[in-house]
Amino acid sequence: MLYRQRQLDLPHGALETPVLFPVRNIGKRSSDNTPSYAGNIPEFSAAMVNARSIRNRDPMWNRLTDNVTLREEMGVPDDTIVFADSGGFDFTNEEVDTTPRKTLQTQKELEADIYGTVDVPISRDNRKVENQDRIDRSLRYAIEASDHHDSDALLFASVHGYDPETLRNSIQYLEKNGDFDGYALGSLVPIRTDYTKVTKLILSARKTTDKHLHVYGLGGLVYQPLLLYLGVDSFDSSAFIRSAGNRNYLIPGFGGEELHNIEDMERLPCPCPVCGNQTLDEVRENREALVKHNLWALATELRRFRYVAESGREVEEYLDLRFQGNEVTQRAYQTAKQQMRRLT
Ligand SMILES: [Zn+2]
């Protein structure tokens, strides 16, 4: 089994991994701003922010360069761990409007603990040549960031590829030519329903490096146990916000349930601080309550996996059960299992 537990020593404290970085939409104009969760859920004392959206939001950026800290701006404790990615996801359709140096400066100004390098995501719709060009540009940006990185924050190189070889070559190239504390896999969100492909890519990266491995954007309820099983150290997700926007209620061990499908129940099947004392109708009508519950659901899923691993039970038996209810995810897990067997 590739599942592993480690600890990252970061400027704002130690962080136990594997860990989820809940996405904070701070800086985004359309910001469904995330209700405060830091301090409420012990293992989520971390956040993923987008360096580019914050920098491009003038009034906020002025406050931050004046005398307000990012953590004050977010209303979270001073020791909150922050992972600032470059905002590369926006470069799927937009021109790159930053440089590795400028992004490093922004990440430093934000006092982030982890910096993701500038990247240009690839897309299934692109021609192969176009994607290869994007992959090469991301590699150049990463090396440039490595050359200029001089703070005690960790630097993760953002890497992309739609086949295991490209990904392996990219990581090996960066290992040889730069100095990185870990790697962050991008461009997986658009192909997330192709579980076999995603699994192969993650395994390829995991085999190539023993360093910290982050997966951008796939930290939802169903992916989480798969990522843990594949030895991924961290992931981020905004699924808890998006799901709540669609009135989707996440149930650990299952998935999302649209709340209007449930009519005649008074209590929800969850003892979290949100659902424990409120009725179904109260939760249904309160988007913020839904967001908070959904985060608790993600925490529960993570805790369960840890419990199974810690208590010496067979993780594979647990996952056989976990994925039983859904044909697609069951097939994904079976594929992952076969690929793992081939590895060892
Ligand atoms: Zn709940």
Side-chain angles (χ1 to χ4, degrees):
M1 182 174 60
L2 295 173
Y3 170 71
R4 57 190 212 170
Q5 283 182 284
R6 292 194 169 182
Q7 184 179 307
L8 291 178
D9 291 310
L10 301 163
H12 289 82
L15 184 66
E16 303 292 332
T17 64
V19 70
L20 168 77
F21 289 89
V23 169
R24 300 277 308 213
N25 285 335
I26 182 165
K28 288 274 182 193
R29 259 162 232 286
S30 58
S31 127
D32 302 311
N33 233 330
T34 328
S36 156
Y37 56 79
N40 295 328
I41 305 184
E43 58 265 66
F44 292 163
S45 57
M48 168 70 84
V49 302
N50 177 326
R52 178 176 178 258
S53 356
I54 298 173
R55 174 131 192 179
N56 291 351
R57 193 77 185 265
D58 282 335
M60 186 185 288
W61 184 244
N62 292 340
R63 283 195 297 277
L64 292 170
T65 45
D66 195 7
N67 56 12
V68 176
T69 69
L70 172 71
R71 288 157 181 87
E72 285 166 356
E73 184 75 29
M74 295 199 296
V76 299
D78 286 341
D79 58 358
T80 302
I81 306 286
V82 172
F83 184 154
D85 79 356
S86 70
F89 193 68
D90 300 330
F91 303 139
T92 309
N93 302 308
E94 292 173 43
E95 282 303 305
V96 178
D97 57 1
T98 182
T99 64
R101 279 184 100 154
K102 186 177 168 191
T103 294
L104 282 178
Q105 281 163 5
T106 309
Q107 289 160 329
K108 201 170 185 174
E109 184 70 46
L110 299 177
E111 294 178 60
D113 295 276
I114 302 171
Y115 304 170
T117 59
V118 179
D119 56 333
V120 209
I122 54 178
S123 144
R124 247 216 277 236
D125 306 329
N126 290 343
R127 287 172 310 136
K128 216 176 164 198
V129 199
E130 162 75 11
N131 274 340
Q132 190 56 51
D133 174 62
R134 287 170 164 248
I135 289 167
D136 293 342
R137 272 163 74 200
S138 297
L139 292 178
R140 282 201 305 276
Y141 290 147
I143 296 292
E144 212 180 314
S146 162
D147 290 345
H148 295 291
H149 176 54
D150 62 357
S151 85
D152 52 1
L154 300 191
L155 184 67
F156 289 178
S158 309
V159 286
H160 304 265
Y162 277 167
D163 63 87
E165 295 71 28
T166 306
L167 213 46
R168 187 181 60 230
N169 292 340
S170 297
I171 294 174
Q172 283 171 345
Y173 174 81
L174 293 170
E175 243 340 78
K176 209 164 137 193
N177 296 285
D179 186 7
F180 302 99
D181 303 291
Y183 294 91
L185 296 190
S187 302
L188 297 181
V189 173
I191 57 166
R192 66 186 176 281
T193 52
D194 191 343
Y195 288 95
T196 307
K197 192 164 207 169
V198 170
T199 301
K200 282 184 180 165
L201 292 169
I202 293 173
L203 276 176
S204 164
R206 184 65 298 166
K207 269 192 302 181
T208 311
T209 176
D210 186 53
K211 286 184 179 171
H212 187 102
L213 185 62
H214 180 88
V215 169
Y216 284 126
L218 287 188
L221 207 57
V222 174
Y223 255 107
Q224 217 185 91
L226 261 187
L227 298 183
L228 296 172
Y229 178 66
L230 297 171
V232 172
D233 300 298
S234 62
F235 30 83
D236 59 274
S237 177
S238 57
F240 61 100
I241 310 175
R242 279 183 288 108
S243 300
N246 302 327
R247 289 287 180 270
N248 237 318
Y249 180 85
L250 301 179
I251 308 174
F254 291 85
E257 172 83 43
E258 285 186 45
L259 275 184
H260 62 72
N261 291 342
I262 317 169
E263 294 284 338
D264 296 329
M265 275 177 70
E266 201 189 341
R267 302 279 168 203
L268 286 156
C270 172
C272 87
V274 180
C275 313
N277 290 313
Q278 294 190 75
T279 62
L280 165 61
D281 284 337
E282 283 166 335
V283 176
R284 198 201 312 257
E285 273 139 40
N286 182 344
R287 208 185 66 93
E288 187 167 322
L290 263 179
V291 173
K292 281 189 179 160
H293 156 79
N294 283 346
L295 260 176
W296 273 107
L298 291 171
T300 306
E301 190 78 54
L302 191 58
R303 286 182 188 184
R304 272 191 197 166
F305 192 106
R306 278 197 174 146
Y307 173 74
V308 170
E310 283 294 315
S311 62
R313 286 174 167 76
E314 283 297 328
V315 166
E316 290 191 346
E317 276 174 26
Y318 163 67
L319 291 179
D320 284 335
L321 275 173
R322 168 67 183 84
F323 290 119
Q324 213 171 36
N326 181 317
E327 207 185 315
V328 180
T329 50
Q330 192 180 37
R331 214 178 315 130
Y333 167 60
Q334 293 304 338
T335 310
K337 197 152 79 169
Q338 282 160 13
Q339 288 176 2
M340 293 261 301
R341 297 258 154 82
R342 242 172 272 147
L343 262 184
T344 47

Coordinates of all heavy atoms in Angstrom, one line a residue, residues 294-327:
N294 N -20.6 20.0 4.8 CA -19.8 19.4 3.7 C -18.3 19.3 4.1 O -17.7 18.3 3.7 CB -20.0 20.1 2.4 CG -21.4 19.7 1.7 OD1 -22.0 18.8 2.2 ND2 -21.8 20.5 0.7
L295 N -17.8 20.3 4.7 CA -16.4 20.2 5.2 C -16.3 19.1 6.2 O -15.3 18.4 6.3 CB -16.0 21.5 5.7 CG -15.2 22.4 4.8 CD1 -14.9 23.7 5.5 CD2 -13.8 21.7 4.4
W296 N -17.3 19.1 7.2 CA -17.2 18.0 8.2 C -17.3 16.6 7.5 O -16.6 15.7 8.0 CB -18.4 18.1 9.2 CG -18.0 19.1 10.3 CD1 -18.5 20.3 10.5 CD2 -17.1 18.8 11.4 NE1 -17.9 20.8 11.7 CE2 -17.1 19.9 12.2 CE3 -16.4 17.7 11.8 CZ2 -16.3 20.0 13.4 CZ3 -15.6 17.7 12.9 CH2 -15.6 18.9 13.7
A297 N -18.0 16.5 6.4 CA -18.1 15.2 5.7 C -16.7 14.8 5.2 O -16.3 13.7 5.3 CB -19.1 15.3 4.6
L298 N -16.0 15.8 4.6 CA -14.7 15.6 4.1 C -13.7 15.1 5.2 O -12.9 14.2 5.1 CB -14.1 16.8 3.4 CG -14.8 17.1 2.0 CD1 -14.3 18.5 1.5 CD2 -14.5 16.0 1.0
A299 N -13.9 15.8 6.4 CA -13.0 15.5 7.5 C -13.3 14.1 8.0 O -12.4 13.3 8.3 CB -13.2 16.5 8.7
T300 N -14.6 13.7 8.0 CA -15.0 12.4 8.5 C -14.4 11.3 7.6 O -13.9 10.3 8.0 CB -16.5 12.3 8.5 OG1 -17.0 13.4 9.3 CG2 -17.0 11.0 9.1
E301 N -14.5 11.5 6.3 CA -14.0 10.6 5.3 C -12.5 10.3 5.5 O -12.0 9.2 5.6 CB -14.2 11.1 3.9 CG -14.0 10.1 2.8 CD -15.1 9.1 2.5 OE1 -16.2 9.5 2.4 OE2 -14.8 7.9 2.6
L302 N -11.8 11.4 5.8 CA -10.3 11.3 6.0 C -10.1 10.6 7.3 O -9.2 9.8 7.4 CB -9.8 12.8 6.1 CG -8.3 13.0 6.1 CD1 -7.6 12.4 4.9 CD2 -8.0 14.5 6.1
R303 N -10.8 10.9 8.4 CA -10.6 10.3 9.7 C -10.9 8.8 9.6 O -10.2 8.0 10.2 CB -11.6 10.9 10.7 CG -11.2 12.3 11.2 CD -12.1 12.8 12.2 NE -11.8 14.2 12.5 CZ -12.4 14.9 13.4 NH1 -13.3 14.4 14.2 NH2 -12.0 16.2 13.6
R304 N -11.9 8.4 8.9 CA -12.2 7.0 8.7 C -11.1 6.2 8.1 O -10.7 5.2 8.6 CB -13.5 6.8 7.8 CG -14.7 6.9 8.6 CD -15.9 6.4 7.7 NE -17.1 6.9 8.3 CZ -18.2 6.9 7.7 NH1 -18.3 6.5 6.5 NH2 -19.3 7.3 8.3
F305 N -10.6 6.8 7.0 CA -9.4 6.1 6.4 C -8.3 5.9 7.3 O -7.7 4.9 7.4 CB -9.0 6.9 5.1 CG -8.1 6.2 4.2 CD1 -8.6 5.7 3.0 CD2 -6.8 5.9 4.6 CE1 -7.7 5.0 2.1 CE2 -5.9 5.2 3.7 CZ -6.4 4.7 2.5
R306 N -8.0 7.0 8.0 CA -6.9 7.0 9.0 C -7.1 5.9 10.1 O -6.2 5.2 10.5 CB -6.7 8.4 9.7 CG -5.9 9.3 8.8 CD -5.5 10.5 9.7 NE -4.6 11.4 9.0 CZ -4.6 12.7 9.2 NH1 -5.3 13.2 10.1 NH2 -3.7 13.4 8.4
Y307 N -8.3 5.9 10.5 CA -8.7 4.9 11.6 C -8.4 3.5 11.1 O -7.8 2.7 11.8 CB -10.1 5.1 12.0 CG -10.6 4.1 13.0 CD1 -10.1 4.1 14.3 CD2 -11.4 3.0 12.6 CE1 -10.5 3.1 15.2 CE2 -11.8 2.0 13.4 CZ -11.3 2.1 14.8 OH -11.6 1.1 15.6
V308 N -8.9 3.2 9.9 CA -8.7 1.9 9.3 C -7.2 1.6 9.3 O -6.8 0.5 9.7 CB -9.4 1.8 8.0 CG1 -9.0 0.5 7.3 CG2 -10.9 1.9 8.1
A309 N -6.5 2.5 8.7 CA -5.0 2.3 8.6 C -4.3 2.1 9.9 O -3.5 1.2 10.1 CB -4.4 3.4 7.8
E310 N -4.7 3.0 10.9 CA -4.0 2.9 12.2 C -4.4 1.7 13.0 O -3.5 1.2 13.7 CB -4.5 4.1 13.1 CG -3.9 5.5 12.7 CD -2.4 5.5 13.0 OE1 -2.0 5.0 14.1 OE2 -1.6 6.0 12.1
S311 N -5.6 1.2 12.8 CA -6.0 0.1 13.7 C -5.6 -1.2 13.1 O -5.9 -2.3 13.6 CB -7.6 0.1 13.8 OG -8.1 0.0 12.5
G312 N -4.8 -1.2 12.0 CA -4.2 -2.4 11.5 C -5.2 -3.2 10.6 O -4.9 -4.3 10.3
R313 N -6.3 -2.6 10.3 CA -7.3 -3.3 9.5 C -6.8 -3.3 8.0 O -5.9 -2.5 7.7 CB -8.7 -2.7 9.5 CG -9.4 -3.0 10.8 CD -10.7 -2.2 10.9 NE -11.5 -2.7 12.0 CZ -11.3 -2.4 13.3 NH1 -10.3 -1.6 13.6 NH2 -12.1 -2.8 14.2
E314 N -7.3 -4.2 7.2 CA -7.0 -4.2 5.8 C -7.6 -3.0 5.1 O -8.8 -3.0 4.9 CB -7.4 -5.5 5.1 CG -6.6 -6.7 5.5 CD -5.2 -6.6 5.0 OE1 -5.0 -5.9 3.9 OE2 -4.3 -7.1 5.6
V315 N -6.8 -2.1 4.6 CA -7.3 -0.9 3.9 C -8.1 -1.4 2.6 O -9.1 -0.8 2.3 CB -6.2 0.1 3.6 CG1 -6.6 1.1 2.5 CG2 -5.7 0.8 4.8
E316 N -7.5 -2.4 2.0 CA -8.2 -2.8 0.7 C -9.6 -3.4 1.0 O -10.5 -3.2 0.2 CB -7.3 -3.8 0.0 CG -6.1 -3.1 -0.6 CD -5.3 -4.0 -1.6 OE1 -5.6 -5.2 -1.7 OE2 -4.5 -3.4 -2.3
E317 N -9.7 -4.1 2.1 CA -11.1 -4.6 2.5 C -12.0 -3.4 2.7 O -13.2 -3.5 2.3 CB -11.0 -5.5 3.7 CG -10.6 -6.9 3.4 CD -10.4 -7.7 4.7 OE1 -11.1 -7.4 5.7 OE2 -9.7 -8.7 4.6
Y318 N -11.5 -2.4 3.4 CA -12.3 -1.3 3.7 C -12.8 -0.6 2.4 O -13.9 -0.2 2.2 CB -11.6 -0.3 4.6 CG -12.1 1.1 4.6 CD1 -13.4 1.4 5.2 CD2 -11.4 2.2 4.1 CE1 -13.9 2.7 5.2 CE2 -12.0 3.5 4.1 CZ -13.2 3.7 4.6 OH -13.7 5.0 4.6
L319 N -11.8 -0.4 1.5 CA -12.1 0.3 0.2 C -13.1 -0.6 -0.7 O -13.9 0.0 -1.4 CB -10.8 0.6 -0.5 CG -10.0 1.7 0.2 CD1 -8.8 2.0 -0.6 CD2 -10.8 3.0 0.3
D320 N -12.9 -1.9 -0.6 CA -13.9 -2.8 -1.3 C -15.3 -2.4 -0.9 O -16.2 -2.3 -1.7 CB -13.6 -4.3 -1.0 CG -12.4 -4.8 -1.7 OD1 -12.1 -4.2 -2.8 OD2 -11.8 -5.8 -1.2
L321 N -15.5 -2.2 0.4 CA -16.8 -1.9 1.0 C -17.2 -0.4 0.6 O -18.3 -0.1 0.2 CB -16.8 -1.9 2.5 CG -17.0 -3.3 3.2 CD1 -16.8 -3.1 4.7 CD2 -18.5 -3.7 2.9
R322 N -16.2 0.5 0.8 CA -16.4 1.9 0.6 C -16.9 2.2 -0.8 O -17.8 3.0 -1.0 CB -15.1 2.6 0.8 CG -15.0 4.1 0.4 CD -15.9 5.0 1.2 NE -16.0 6.4 0.8 CZ -16.8 6.8 -0.2 NH1 -17.5 6.0 -0.9 NH2 -16.7 8.1 -0.5
F323 N -16.4 1.4 -1.8 CA -16.8 1.7 -3.2 C -17.9 0.8 -3.8 O -18.2 0.9 -4.9 CB -15.5 1.7 -4.1 CG -14.6 2.9 -3.8 CD1 -13.3 2.7 -3.4 CD2 -15.0 4.2 -4.0 CE1 -12.5 3.7 -3.1 CE2 -14.2 5.3 -3.7 CZ -12.9 5.0 -3.3
Q324 N -18.4 -0.1 -2.9 CA -19.3 -1.0 -3.4 C -20.6 -0.4 -4.0 O -21.1 -1.0 -5.0 CB -19.8 -1.9 -2.2 CG -20.1 -3.3 -2.5 CD -20.3 -4.0 -1.2 OE1 -20.9 -3.5 -0.2 NE2 -19.9 -5.3 -1.1
G325 N -21.0 0.6 -3.5 CA -22.3 1.2 -3.9 C -22.3 1.9 -5.3 O -23.4 2.2 -5.8
N326 N -21.2 2.1 -5.9 CA -21.2 2.9 -7.1 C -20.3 2.2 -8.1 O -19.1 2.0 -7.9 CB -20.7 4.3 -6.8 CG -20.6 5.2 -8.0 OD1 -20.2 4.8 -9.1 ND2 -21.1 6.4 -7.8
E327 N -20.9 1.8 -9.2 CA -20.2 1.0 -10.2 C -19.0 1.7 -10.8 O -17.9 1.1 -10.9 CB -21.2 0.7 -11.4 CG -20.9 -0.6 -12.1 CD -21.9 -0.7 -13.3 OE1 -23.1 -0.4 -13.1 OE2 -21.4 -1.0 -14.4

